[in-house]
Amino acid sequence: LNGANDFNSVALATTGGGSFTAASVTDTNALSIGGDAGALTVVAGDTLALTGGTYTSLNATAKGDITQSGALDISGASSFTVTGAAHNITLDTQNNDFHGQSVTVNATGGGSITSFNLKDTDASALFPTLTATPTNLTLDYTAASIALPTLTLAGALNVTAVGGITIGGNVTTAGSQIYNDAVTLGANALLDTTNAGGNAAGATIMFSSTLDDAAANTHTLGLNAGTGGDITFTGAVGGTT
């Protein structure tokens, strides 16, 4: 279903025991789409609302915000791309399962990502591939651990990972850094909310659970919340070493 379509809403379905191997849908305007469809490619000329479904892969592109109202169950790779301006990709309102496969976020054609929010219920969830860095990043992993790489954001970071959060390098933001589960140092790290000195006031750094080294007395941690940011520990520091 490619071409100059204007569907407004698409519900993918089969009858008589049939199934989709693949589906491709293009809309010149805003689009709401859902249903089970094998490998799904969808392109919207404005906002894209995903109403939920089961897919072997998903490639979603929009010239507006990408949101969801139903859960996504994707057994293969997925990608979400915004184009043309600054938009949000909001995928944290439903119990999504990406089955430990890659989730890639892109911005093309002059586009950028203001906020990327992701919820993944799979126990083997991976850190997303950020080919375009969002201003703000929120990750909610309800069953997995997460390894944070070296990361620089022009906004805020909020991370939840029930299996624990491992910090693998420096994290630099212009907004707050919130770590909602147990944090382990996997490398020497500086957590900085002053945008590397660009915002002297800084912002909050909060540890809502324990903070510990992966091995006793192995790694160093620096914290810089600027002149106006609070640094808050609500759990034990060095709790297991």
Side-chain angles (χ1 to χ4, degrees), residues 6 35 48 73 79 98 101 115 151 164 223:
D6 189 2
L48 175 62
D73 188 303
S79 69
F98 294 94
Q101 302 299 308
S115 293
L151 187 64
L223 302 172

Side-chain angles (χ1 to χ4, degrees), residues 49-110:
L50 302 169
T51 61
T54 299
Y55 311 105
T56 56
S57 67
L58 174 62
N59 293 291
T61 301
K63 290 185 178 179
D65 294 346
I66 299 176
T67 60
Q68 67 175 152
S69 60
L72 302 173
D73 188 303
I74 305 172
S75 58
S78 59
S79 69
F80 302 90
T81 303
V82 294
T83 67
H87 303 298
N88 299 313
I89 302 175
T90 306
L91 302 173
D92 65 342
T93 64
Q94 307 293 322
N95 291 324
N96 306 305
D97 188 347
F98 294 94
H99 291 271
Q101 302 299 308
S102 62
V103 177
T104 302
V105 180
N106 312 290
T108 62

Side-chain angles (χ1 to χ4, degrees), residues 2-240:
N2 296 319
N5 305 303
D6 189 2
F7 295 114
N8 186 45
S9 179
V10 173
L12 299 165
T14 61
T15 60
S19 63
F20 285 105
T21 301
S24 181
V25 179
T26 299
D27 196 299
T28 58
N29 294 301
L31 177 64
S32 172
I33 188 169
D36 302 338
L40 175 62
T41 298
V42 56
V43 178
D46 201 319
T47 58
L48 175 62
L50 302 169
T51 61
T54 299
Y55 311 105
T56 56
S57 67
L58 174 62
N59 293 291
T61 301
K63 290 185 178 179
D65 294 346
I66 299 176
T67 60
Q68 67 175 152
S69 60
L72 302 173
D73 188 303
I74 305 172
S75 58
S78 59
S79 69
F80 302 90
T81 303
V82 294
T83 67
H87 303 298
N88 299 313
I89 302 175
T90 306
L91 302 173
D92 65 342
T93 64
Q94 307 293 322
N95 291 324
N96 306 305
D97 188 347
F98 294 94
H99 291 271
Q101 302 299 308
S102 62
V103 177
T104 302
V105 180
N106 312 290
T108 62
S112 62
I113 304 166
T114 303
S115 293
F116 175 48
N117 298 358
L118 178 68
K119 183 175 184 178
D120 194 338
T121 64
D122 197 89
S124 55
L126 303 174
F127 187 84
T129 301
L130 305 175
T131 67
T133 304
T135 300
N136 304 294
L137 177 62
T138 298
L139 300 175
D140 182 6
Y141 288 11
T142 63
S145 59
I146 188 170
L148 290 182
T150 298
L151 187 64
T152 299
L153 301 173
L157 174 68
N158 191 307
V159 183
T160 299
V162 170
I165 302 162
T166 299
I167 294 177
N170 297 340
V171 179
T172 305
T173 60
S176 60
Q177 296 183 26
I178 309 297
Y179 301 93
N180 294 301
D181 289 294
V183 171
T184 300
L185 289 181
N188 297 334
L190 170 64
L191 308 184
D192 177 13
T193 59
T194 71
N195 196 24
N199 173 25
T204 293
I205 301 173
M206 177 177 287
F207 300 93
S208 298
S209 185
T210 58
L211 171 64
D212 200 8
D213 201 347
N217 304 314
T218 302
H219 301 114
T220 62
L221 175 65
L223 302 172
N224 183 7
T227 59
D230 294 328
I231 299 175
T232 302
F233 302 93
T234 59
V237 178
T240 62

